[in-house]
Amino acid sequence: MSSRLRLVLSALISFVFYFAWTYWANNMVSTDSALVLRSAMVQGTLSATITLMFTFALEKSVQKFGQSSFSLIFVVPIICTVHSKTTQNIAIFKTFNAALNLSAQKASGAAVPGTLLAPLLPLLVQASIAITVNWLNHTPNLWLTVAPSIFFTGVYGYIYTFTLLKERKDSL
């Protein structure tokens, strides 16, 4: 299946699924059928549009980070530096600092593959847009409406990432 066809099919499936889900979720809590239908149209259209944008952003993110690794030896000292300025509770600070120092020693040389990080930025953008648009729309059951969208977008993001990397590996 071509990438363009896969993208259009994903957007269509996203629209149908989230339209039906939102209609069901909001029909349980509201008797205003116009608001329920509008909420379903908003979420269905939003999900289809975000599927298109998310997939595009994910492909760019995988191109940039997919073959990279990020060393934990650099991440832990950054966390320590941020938290070292907190002086409100010395006991908590010392315990946290000791735990981070121990983690830095244990993680020396360890790395996180870029494939684990590639879907996170597009997922954060998608979640923010979905929550904001449904909040502005006054969707009656906001969290039940957007939670599956965020969860399944994350699952889709990782599956799509590994599919892209497998296609690249197979083409080499």
Side-chain angles (χ1 to χ4, degrees):
M1 178 183 303
S2 75
S3 138
R4 188 169 283 162
L5 179 60
R6 186 173 55 226
L7 184 63
V8 170
L9 188 59
S10 296
L12 182 62
I13 290 170
S14 179
F15 175 83
V16 170
F17 177 79
Y18 288 111
F19 176 90
W21 172 262
T22 302
Y23 189 85
W24 175 80
N26 290 290
N27 201 32
M28 293 189 310
V29 297
S30 178
T31 57
D32 185 354
S33 60
L35 176 63
V36 170
L37 185 59
R38 186 181 76 209
S39 295
M41 285 298 293
V42 165
Q43 183 62 29
T45 303
L46 176 68
S47 293
T49 304
I50 285 181
T51 297
L52 294 171
M53 292 184 333
F54 178 81
T55 303
F56 177 76
L58 186 59
E59 287 186 10
K60 295 298 181 190
S61 186
V62 167
Q63 285 176 355
K64 179 144 180 88
F65 302 115
Q67 302 298 331
S68 304
S69 293
F70 301 94
S71 177
L72 294 176
I73 200 164
F74 294 112
V75 173
V76 174
I78 291 170
I79 295 172
C80 289
T81 303
V82 169
H83 290 282
S84 68
K85 296 174 183 159
T86 306
T87 57
Q88 293 174 343
N89 192 329
I90 300 300
I92 291 174
F93 168 72
K94 286 181 179 179
T95 303
F96 186 71
N97 199 28
L100 287 175
N101 286 335
L102 179 63
S103 297
Q105 290 170 356
K106 297 286 184 186
S108 178
V112 175
T115 52
L116 296 179
L117 301 175
L120 293 181
L121 181 60
L123 181 60
L124 180 63
V125 170
Q126 181 272 347
S128 299
I129 292 171
I131 291 167
T132 302
V133 167
N134 280 286
W135 178 74
L136 290 172
N137 185 52
H138 301 287
T139 299
N141 208 345
L142 175 72
W143 294 111
L144 187 59
T145 298
V146 299
S149 174
I150 295 167
F151 175 76
F152 287 117
T153 298
V155 171
Y156 170 78
Y158 281 102
I159 290 171
Y160 198 82
T161 297
F162 290 118
T163 301
L164 288 175
L165 292 173
K166 185 178 183 302
E167 285 177 1
R168 269 196 207 152
K169 186 178 178 182
D170 290 345
S171 68
L172 294 177

